[in-house]
Amino acid sequence: LKAYADGVNAWLDNNALPIEYSGLEVTEIDRWLPIHSVAIAKVLAFQLSNDLNEIDDTIAIGTFQQVGAAAGFDGTALFMEDLYRAAPPDGRVSVPGFLGSIGGIGKTEQTLKQSIGEFALDLTDVELKMLHEIKNNWSNSAVMKTMKNDGNTDKGSNVWVIAGDKSANGFPLIANDPHLSLDYPSTFYSAHMSADTGLNVAGVGFPGAPVMAQGCNESLCWGSTVHPVDEMDFFFESIKTNTFVIPTHTVDQGQEEPIVWVFQTYNANVIGDGVMNNTARQEVGYTHGGLTYLVPRRNFGPILSVDTANAQAVSMQYTMYAPTKEIESFFDMARASSIDEFRTALTKFDVGSQNFGVVDVDGNIAYFTGAEVPIREDLQTMMQPDGVPPMFIRDGTGEHMNEWMSLTNPDDNQAINYEVIPFDEMPFSVNPDSGYVANANNDPVGVSLDNNVLNQVRPGGGLYYISQGGYSSYRMGRIDRLIQENIDRDTLFTS
């Protein structure tokens, strides 16, 4: 990272800024630092793996339940069985048979209603006001609207790997189409990195970070698609304030826990006065970004809305807020010489939730999921939600068992300080008998096909909950059928 930053700064020392900067009346910029590359990786991970729509979903199901109670219908069923189904419209999966066999993951016979239990949000006026405040803030932000994974923008991707005995030249094939939103600068750009250390990798990377997101080295090629696992939760918190009515503590089971304050200063060039580089501090109020409250219990996640008069708040917990290792994972992928080494590299891919397809020069093909999915204490110990399920805003006061479990059994190269679904329980496939694996942001193993994501059981006990469901599926259905039709006709694939 330091070497990359040195290279960027060397270019800046010997070149004028591009013409676009003149419109901002800027002729010089700050030095590039390694932390800037890390920040880019974090923002990309956030864009690909957030569950910000849980705010909207909580408002919606709360409304359905309230109206249903008054009008005589089941508002929970209207939400979960009709309008916001977890089940995809096409049932093709990436790894048939993973549940119950490859992964050793069983399944209960519980209906959806039995799995989620009888729960009612009963949102108070204060809680609804905070939720609408968050929703409106995000809706009024062009940046947040583009990042929100609510299905209104197509960020889908496709990847498939095909074994050498199915190809015309005898070598395995990989195809990858990571069609993210069109941005400027582009999310990806073509690059080739080589060094006398033996590094030799080409593909596409991110502007601002020395990593290869998808590409080939001399031993293997890989690609990826988004896998929307559930690595984010929201909580209603009880808080304490000081004499200045500023939040100082959250309250868990009656115990006060200090909130961390982060003061932030924003500077921008004054545009329109014809003076170059006259940067001035922007007057951002404490309630508009100048002061952020972080909750240590929430992996140092932020408080999104506060009602000091009623001593309540909404907080956000996300695996990304810990120091994570995605950049190191990308470095290791670039140097991997086998499927096994590539798999080990992915144990460091903590947040950003991707399906990785990979092929090597020895003819192997494989598929892995890269992500750390937290284990919720109620799902692990009670085998059902305690109160509200994790796809809606949960209780943060300790009244219900809604916390992420404390870490006691760390997985290989684990980053976050909570229990996670082990890497070997996450979806994967190596050299399947079918001769191929495909994924297009679909449910890779079928956890949502029966519209119930809370009735799979982990090998050692507890619910196997990795996703809220609602996967994209039409592209996978088409891709899978075309591949299978060619195999059935003994048609060899060509690149």
Side-chain angles (χ1 to χ4, degrees):
L1 290 173
K2 175 67 163 56
Y4 180 83
D6 290 345
V8 173
N9 293 326
W11 190 95
L12 290 171
D13 289 340
N14 294 281
N15 296 274
L17 291 178
I19 189 65
E20 290 88 348
Y21 284 82
S22 62
L24 301 175
E25 297 182 0
V26 170
T27 61
E28 58 188 39
I29 60 174
D30 293 341
R31 309 297 284 172
W32 192 261
L33 301 173
I35 193 67
H36 296 149
S37 295
V38 176
I40 285 174
K42 288 282 192 179
V43 170
L44 286 168
F46 177 83
Q47 183 177 8
L48 296 175
S49 65
N50 70 72
D51 291 323
L52 303 181
N53 50 298
E54 285 186 15
I55 299 291
D56 303 58
D57 291 350
T58 299
I59 295 172
I61 194 172
T63 301
F64 291 2
Q65 289 178 337
Q66 185 179 25
V67 174
F73 65 85
D74 188 337
T76 305
L78 177 64
F79 184 98
M80 303 195 75
E81 298 180 25
D82 296 326
L83 300 182
Y84 292 77
R85 292 176 58 82
D90 193 303
R92 293 279 170 134
V93 299
S94 302
V95 190
F98 182 88
L99 299 178
S101 58
I102 298 175
I105 298 163
K107 186 173 182 178
T108 72
E109 297 302 320
Q110 287 185 333
T111 65
L112 175 61
K113 191 166 186 177
Q114 290 171 326
S115 294
I116 62 175
E118 293 291 341
F119 76 95
L121 272 76
D122 293 327
L123 297 173
T124 66
D125 290 342
V126 171
E127 291 170 337
L128 272 173
K129 181 181 177 182
M130 289 190 295
L131 297 187
H132 280 290
E133 178 185 47
I134 297 168
K135 181 178 180 179
N136 292 337
N137 285 339
W138 290 347
S139 298
N140 292 329
S141 167
V143 172
M144 292 301 294
K145 280 196 294 187
T146 62
M147 287 191 172
K148 202 171 180 183
N149 294 319
D150 57 4
N152 291 328
T153 57
D154 185 7
K155 298 178 182 177
S157 306
N158 315 308
V159 66
W160 57 90
V161 292
I162 297 177
D165 62 358
K166 311 293 184 188
S167 73
N169 63 9
F171 290 103
L173 302 177
I174 182 169
N176 186 206
D177 172 22
H179 51 92
L180 297 175
S181 302
L182 291 176
D183 295 311
Y184 187 80
S186 174
T187 304
F188 297 117
Y189 75 103
S190 298
H192 177 200
M193 294 193 297
S194 62
D196 56 13
T197 59
L199 175 68
N200 189 14
V201 58
V204 292
F206 305 128
V211 300
M212 209 62 69
Q214 293 108 6
C216 299
N217 62 26
E218 295 179 1
S219 300
L220 46 80
C221 295
W222 70 94
S224 62
T225 74
V226 170
H227 182 191
V229 299
D230 191 356
E231 47 195 356
M232 178 184 291
D233 281 336
F234 296 84
F235 297 86
F236 286 120
E237 304 280 4
S238 177
I239 63 170
K240 295 287 187 179
T241 60
N242 61 16
T243 54
F244 300 100
V245 200
I246 297 176
T248 59
H249 296 77
T250 56
V251 181
D252 178 72
Q253 300 184 51
Q255 299 297 310
E256 297 181 7
E257 300 179 348
I259 290 171
V260 175
W261 295 356
V262 178
F263 294 90
Q264 300 179 92
T265 298
Y266 299 87
N267 298 290
N269 201 49
V270 179
I271 302 173
D273 58 2
V275 179
M276 297 294 169
N277 307 313
N278 58 333
T279 301
R281 176 179 175 178
Q282 305 302 295
E283 295 303 322
V284 177
Y286 287 155
T287 60
H288 293 83
L291 176 58
T292 298
Y293 309 114
L294 303 183
V295 182
R297 172 179 291 274
R298 304 283 166 241
N299 203 24
F300 286 90
I303 286 178
L304 304 175
S305 181
V306 179
D307 187 313
T308 54
N310 294 282
Q312 294 186 54
V314 174
S315 67
M316 175 180 174
Q317 188 165 357
Y318 185 23
T319 57
M320 188 186 79
Y321 295 138
T324 54
K325 306 177 183 178
E326 295 76 46
I327 288 182
E328 185 177 353
S329 177
F330 280 124
F331 289 161
D332 289 352
M333 289 183 222
R335 293 174 170 83
S337 61
S338 67
I339 295 291
D340 284 343
E341 289 186 4
F342 188 85
R343 176 202 173 280
T344 300
L346 291 184
T347 62
K348 300 177 183 179
F349 198 94
D350 305 312
V351 65
S353 49
Q354 298 287 297
N355 302 283
F356 286 92
V358 58
V359 302
D360 69 14
V361 293
D362 295 320
N364 298 297
I365 67 172
Y367 155 82
F368 301 101
T369 296
E372 290 187 356
V373 179
I375 294 176
R376 283 78 176 175
E377 59 179 353
D378 52 348
L379 304 187
Q380 180 65 25
T381 60
M382 297 175 58
M383 297 291 289
Q384 70 175 33
D386 183 12
V388 178
M391 55 281 295
F392 308 106
I393 298 183
R394 313 201 80 191
D395 167 56
T397 68
E399 182 178 343
H400 297 278
M401 295 182 66
N402 289 174
E403 298 292 332
W404 293 1
M405 293 191 71
S406 298
L407 180 61
T408 56
N409 301 290
D411 201 25
D412 291 344
N413 295 312
Q414 182 173 333
I416 69 171
N417 196 33
Y418 303 89
E419 288 288 292
V420 300
I421 300 293
F423 189 86
D424 286 340
E425 289 183 28
M426 296 297 288
F428 75 93
S429 178
V430 179
N431 293 325
D433 293 339
S434 65
Y436 74 96
V437 185
N439 187 274
N441 313 119
N442 56 284
D443 183 338
V445 294
V447 295
S448 65
L449 297 189
D450 63 353
N451 198 46
N452 186 355
V453 297
L454 294 171
N455 65 349
Q456 277 76 227
V457 181
R458 297 182 56 214
L463 291 184
Y464 181 71
Y465 173 71
I466 62 172
S467 170
Q468 300 178 7
Y471 288 89
S472 173
S473 65
Y474 290 116
R475 285 175 289 116
M476 174 58 182
R478 180 63 172 158
I479 292 167
D480 194 77
R481 286 174 175 83
L482 286 174
I483 293 176
Q484 191 60 55
E485 287 171 8
N486 276 274
I487 290 175
D488 291 343
R489 292 196 301 263
D490 292 327
T491 302
L492 295 178
F493 294 87
T494 59
S495 59

